[in-house]
mmCIF file of all heavy atoms in Angstrom:
data_model
loop_
_atom_site.group_PDB
_atom_site.id
_atom_site.type_symbol
_atom_site.label_atom_id
_atom_site.label_comp_id
_atom_site.label_asym_id
_atom_site.label_seq_id
_atom_site.Cartn_x
_atom_site.Cartn_y
_atom_site.Cartn_z
ATOM 1 N N SER A 120 110.087 98.854 88.697
ATOM 2 C CA SER A 120 108.691 98.604 89.077
ATOM 3 C C SER A 120 107.965 97.781 88.029
ATOM 4 O O SER A 120 106.769 97.602 88.114
ATOM 5 C CB SER A 120 107.950 99.927 89.283
ATOM 6 O OG SER A 120 107.927 100.671 88.071
ATOM 7 N N GLY A 121 108.687 97.313 87.029
ATOM 8 C CA GLY A 121 108.032 96.530 86.000
ATOM 9 C C GLY A 121 108.945 96.317 84.814
ATOM 10 O O GLY A 121 110.155 96.513 84.905
ATOM 11 N N ILE A 122 108.319 95.934 83.706
ATOM 12 C CA ILE A 122 109.072 95.731 82.471
ATOM 13 C C ILE A 122 108.532 96.667 81.402
ATOM 14 O O ILE A 122 107.366 97.075 81.436
ATOM 15 C CB ILE A 122 109.048 94.259 81.999
ATOM 16 C CG1 ILE A 122 107.628 93.772 81.708
ATOM 17 C CG2 ILE A 122 109.721 93.365 83.043
ATOM 18 C CD1 ILE A 122 107.565 92.373 81.103
ATOM 19 N N VAL A 123 109.406 96.997 80.450
ATOM 20 C CA VAL A 123 109.114 98.023 79.453
ATOM 21 C C VAL A 123 109.297 97.461 78.049
ATOM 22 O O VAL A 123 110.244 96.710 77.793
ATOM 23 C CB VAL A 123 110.047 99.243 79.651
ATOM 24 C CG1 VAL A 123 109.768 100.332 78.624
ATOM 25 C CG2 VAL A 123 109.942 99.789 81.070
ATOM 26 N N PHE A 124 108.388 97.866 77.153
ATOM 27 C CA PHE A 124 108.474 97.514 75.740
ATOM 28 C C PHE A 124 108.424 98.796 74.921
ATOM 29 O O PHE A 124 107.554 99.641 75.154
ATOM 30 C CB PHE A 124 107.297 96.612 75.330
ATOM 31 C CG PHE A 124 107.252 95.313 76.067
ATOM 32 C CD1 PHE A 124 106.582 95.200 77.271
ATOM 33 C CD2 PHE A 124 107.895 94.188 75.555
ATOM 34 C CE1 PHE A 124 106.537 94.003 77.968
ATOM 35 C CE2 PHE A 124 107.863 92.983 76.247
ATOM 36 C CZ PHE A 124 107.184 92.885 77.446
ATOM 37 N N THR A 125 109.330 98.919 73.954
ATOM 38 C CA THR A 125 109.323 100.079 73.066
ATOM 39 C C THR A 125 109.797 99.650 71.685
ATOM 40 O O THR A 125 110.389 98.581 71.529
ATOM 41 C CB THR A 125 110.207 101.217 73.629
ATOM 42 O OG1 THR A 125 109.917 102.440 72.930
ATOM 43 C CG2 THR A 125 111.689 100.901 73.501
ATOM 44 N N GLY A 126 109.522 100.476 70.688
ATOM 45 C CA GLY A 126 109.957 100.209 69.325
ATOM 46 C C GLY A 126 110.907 101.290 68.852
ATOM 47 O O GLY A 126 110.809 102.441 69.284
ATOM 48 N N THR A 127 111.803 100.928 67.958
ATOM 49 C CA THR A 127 112.788 101.900 67.482
ATOM 50 C C THR A 127 112.186 102.927 66.522
ATOM 51 O O THR A 127 112.816 103.942 66.246
ATOM 52 C CB THR A 127 113.975 101.206 66.785
ATOM 53 O OG1 THR A 127 113.498 100.473 65.654
ATOM 54 C CG2 THR A 127 114.720 100.278 67.737
ATOM 55 N N ALA A 128 110.978 102.681 66.022
ATOM 56 C CA ALA A 128 110.333 103.637 65.116
ATOM 57 C C ALA A 128 109.154 104.339 65.793
ATOM 58 O O ALA A 128 108.228 104.801 65.129
ATOM 59 C CB ALA A 128 109.870 102.914 63.845
ATOM 60 N N ASP A 129 109.204 104.442 67.103
ATOM 61 C CA ASP A 129 108.140 105.096 67.864
ATOM 62 C C ASP A 129 108.299 106.607 67.728
ATOM 63 O O ASP A 129 109.291 107.172 68.186
ATOM 64 C CB ASP A 129 108.227 104.682 69.336
ATOM 65 C CG ASP A 129 107.046 105.154 70.164
ATOM 66 O OD1 ASP A 129 106.406 106.157 69.785
ATOM 67 O OD2 ASP A 129 106.765 104.533 71.189
ATOM 68 N N PRO A 130 107.317 107.296 67.116
ATOM 69 C CA PRO A 130 107.450 108.746 66.925
ATOM 70 C C PRO A 130 107.144 109.565 68.189
ATOM 71 O O PRO A 130 107.348 110.777 68.195
ATOM 72 C CB PRO A 130 106.416 109.037 65.834
ATOM 73 C CG PRO A 130 105.371 108.010 66.019
ATOM 74 C CD PRO A 130 106.109 106.777 66.478
ATOM 75 N N TRP A 131 106.680 108.931 69.257
ATOM 76 C CA TRP A 131 106.315 109.660 70.471
ATOM 77 C C TRP A 131 107.472 109.803 71.457
ATOM 78 O O TRP A 131 107.425 110.622 72.365
ATOM 79 C CB TRP A 131 105.149 108.959 71.169
ATOM 80 C CG TRP A 131 103.852 109.111 70.430
ATOM 81 C CD1 TRP A 131 103.436 108.373 69.355
ATOM 82 C CD2 TRP A 131 102.811 110.049 70.690
ATOM 83 N NE1 TRP A 131 102.195 108.796 68.945
ATOM 84 C CE2 TRP A 131 101.785 109.825 69.755
ATOM 85 C CE3 TRP A 131 102.628 111.050 71.640
ATOM 86 C CZ2 TRP A 131 100.609 110.559 69.730
ATOM 87 C CZ3 TRP A 131 101.459 111.787 71.619
ATOM 88 C CH2 TRP A 131 100.469 111.543 70.664
ATOM 89 N N VAL A 132 108.493 108.967 71.315
ATOM 90 C CA VAL A 132 109.634 108.991 72.225
ATOM 91 C C VAL A 132 110.820 108.365 71.497
ATOM 92 O O VAL A 132 110.636 107.485 70.655
ATOM 93 C CB VAL A 132 109.310 108.217 73.535
ATOM 94 C CG1 VAL A 132 109.100 106.737 73.279
ATOM 95 C CG2 VAL A 132 110.342 108.444 74.610
ATOM 96 N N THR A 133 112.023 108.809 71.821
ATOM 97 C CA THR A 133 113.181 108.191 71.174
ATOM 98 C C THR A 133 113.596 106.941 71.943
ATOM 99 O O THR A 133 113.406 106.849 73.160
ATOM 100 C CB THR A 133 114.388 109.155 71.098
ATOM 101 O OG1 THR A 133 114.902 109.366 72.415
ATOM 102 C CG2 THR A 133 114.006 110.482 70.446
ATOM 103 N N THR A 134 114.165 106.021 71.232
ATOM 104 C CA THR A 134 114.657 104.795 71.846
ATOM 105 C C THR A 134 115.712 105.124 72.895
ATOM 106 O O THR A 134 115.727 104.523 73.979
ATOM 107 C CB THR A 134 115.223 103.851 70.771
ATOM 108 O OG1 THR A 134 114.230 103.642 69.765
ATOM 109 C CG2 THR A 134 115.630 102.514 71.355
ATOM 110 N N ASP A 135 116.575 106.087 72.596
ATOM 111 C CA ASP A 135 117.619 106.466 73.550
ATOM 112 C C ASP A 135 117.032 106.980 74.865
ATOM 113 O O ASP A 135 117.570 106.700 75.941
ATOM 114 C CB ASP A 135 118.552 107.521 72.945
ATOM 115 C CG ASP A 135 119.464 106.952 71.868
ATOM 116 O OD1 ASP A 135 119.621 105.706 71.809
ATOM 117 O OD2 ASP A 135 120.022 107.744 71.089
ATOM 118 N N GLN A 136 115.939 107.739 74.787
ATOM 119 C CA GLN A 136 115.291 108.233 76.013
ATOM 120 C C GLN A 136 114.801 107.067 76.872
ATOM 121 O O GLN A 136 114.975 107.068 78.089
ATOM 122 C CB GLN A 136 114.103 109.142 75.670
ATOM 123 C CG GLN A 136 114.489 110.486 75.105
ATOM 124 C CD GLN A 136 113.284 111.243 74.558
ATOM 125 O OE1 GLN A 136 112.369 110.662 73.978
ATOM 126 N NE2 GLN A 136 113.297 112.564 74.740
ATOM 127 N N VAL A 137 114.187 106.086 76.227
ATOM 128 C CA VAL A 137 113.650 104.939 76.969
ATOM 129 C C VAL A 137 114.785 104.089 77.528
ATOM 130 O O VAL A 137 114.743 103.677 78.699
ATOM 131 C CB VAL A 137 112.696 104.102 76.086
ATOM 132 C CG1 VAL A 137 112.198 102.879 76.841
ATOM 133 C CG2 VAL A 137 111.528 104.946 75.598
ATOM 134 N N ILE A 138 115.803 103.837 76.732
ATOM 135 C CA ILE A 138 116.948 103.047 77.199
ATOM 136 C C ILE A 138 117.592 103.717 78.406
ATOM 137 O O ILE A 138 117.865 103.072 79.424
ATOM 138 C CB ILE A 138 117.974 102.821 76.064
ATOM 139 C CG1 ILE A 138 117.400 101.880 75.006
ATOM 140 C CG2 ILE A 138 119.296 102.286 76.622
ATOM 141 C CD1 ILE A 138 118.246 101.772 73.748
ATOM 142 N N SER A 139 117.824 105.003 78.312
ATOM 143 C CA SER A 139 118.455 105.737 79.405
ATOM 144 C C SER A 139 117.605 105.687 80.676
ATOM 145 O O SER A 139 118.120 105.437 81.771
ATOM 146 C CB SER A 139 118.690 107.189 78.986
ATOM 147 O OG SER A 139 119.229 107.929 80.053
ATOM 148 N N ALA A 140 116.305 105.921 80.535
ATOM 149 C CA ALA A 140 115.402 105.900 81.690
ATOM 150 C C ALA A 140 115.364 104.514 82.328
ATOM 151 O O ALA A 140 115.365 104.394 83.560
ATOM 152 C CB ALA A 140 114.004 106.340 81.278
ATOM 153 N N CYS A 141 115.331 103.488 81.516
ATOM 154 C CA CYS A 141 115.300 102.117 82.048
ATOM 155 C C CYS A 141 116.622 101.757 82.717
ATOM 156 O O CYS A 141 116.634 101.140 83.786
ATOM 157 C CB CYS A 141 114.955 101.127 80.944
ATOM 158 S SG CYS A 141 113.233 101.231 80.421
ATOM 159 N N ASP A 142 117.725 102.158 82.108
ATOM 160 C CA ASP A 142 119.035 101.911 82.713
ATOM 161 C C ASP A 142 119.138 102.588 84.077
ATOM 162 O O ASP A 142 119.609 101.989 85.043
ATOM 163 C CB ASP A 142 120.168 102.401 81.806
ATOM 164 C CG ASP A 142 120.421 101.496 80.616
ATOM 165 O OD1 ASP A 142 119.875 100.368 80.584
ATOM 166 O OD2 ASP A 142 121.167 101.918 79.705
ATOM 167 N N ASP A 143 118.686 103.837 84.161
ATOM 168 C CA ASP A 143 118.746 104.591 85.415
ATOM 169 C C ASP A 143 117.921 103.949 86.523
ATOM 170 O O ASP A 143 118.209 104.127 87.702
ATOM 171 C CB ASP A 143 118.250 106.030 85.214
ATOM 172 C CG ASP A 143 119.189 106.869 84.374
ATOM 173 O OD1 ASP A 143 120.351 106.453 84.155
ATOM 174 O OD2 ASP A 143 118.756 107.959 83.942
ATOM 175 N N ARG A 144 116.881 103.218 86.151
ATOM 176 C CA ARG A 144 115.962 102.641 87.142
ATOM 177 C C ARG A 144 116.073 101.123 87.239
ATOM 178 O O ARG A 144 115.258 100.483 87.890
ATOM 179 C CB ARG A 144 114.527 103.027 86.780
ATOM 180 C CG ARG A 144 114.281 104.514 87.005
ATOM 181 C CD ARG A 144 113.110 105.020 86.191
ATOM 182 N NE ARG A 144 112.974 106.459 86.333
ATOM 183 C CZ ARG A 144 113.684 107.356 85.641
ATOM 184 N NH1 ARG A 144 114.586 106.952 84.754
ATOM 185 N NH2 ARG A 144 113.490 108.645 85.814
ATOM 186 N N ASN A 145 117.047 100.557 86.528
ATOM 187 C CA ASN A 145 117.266 99.115 86.540
ATOM 188 C C ASN A 145 115.999 98.351 86.121
ATOM 189 O O ASN A 145 115.603 97.384 86.772
ATOM 190 C CB ASN A 145 117.759 98.654 87.918
ATOM 191 C CG ASN A 145 118.321 97.254 87.884
ATOM 192 O OD1 ASN A 145 118.855 96.816 86.869
ATOM 193 N ND2 ASN A 145 118.182 96.529 88.983
#
Side-chain angles (χ1 to χ4, degrees):
S120 62
I122 61 174
V123 180
F124 299 89
T125 194
T127 61
D129 188 335
W131 289 81
V132 65
T133 69
T134 306
D135 288 343
Q136 289 170 323
V137 177
I138 291 171
S139 177
C141 289
D142 285 349
D143 291 346
R144 290 158 185 82
N145 194 30

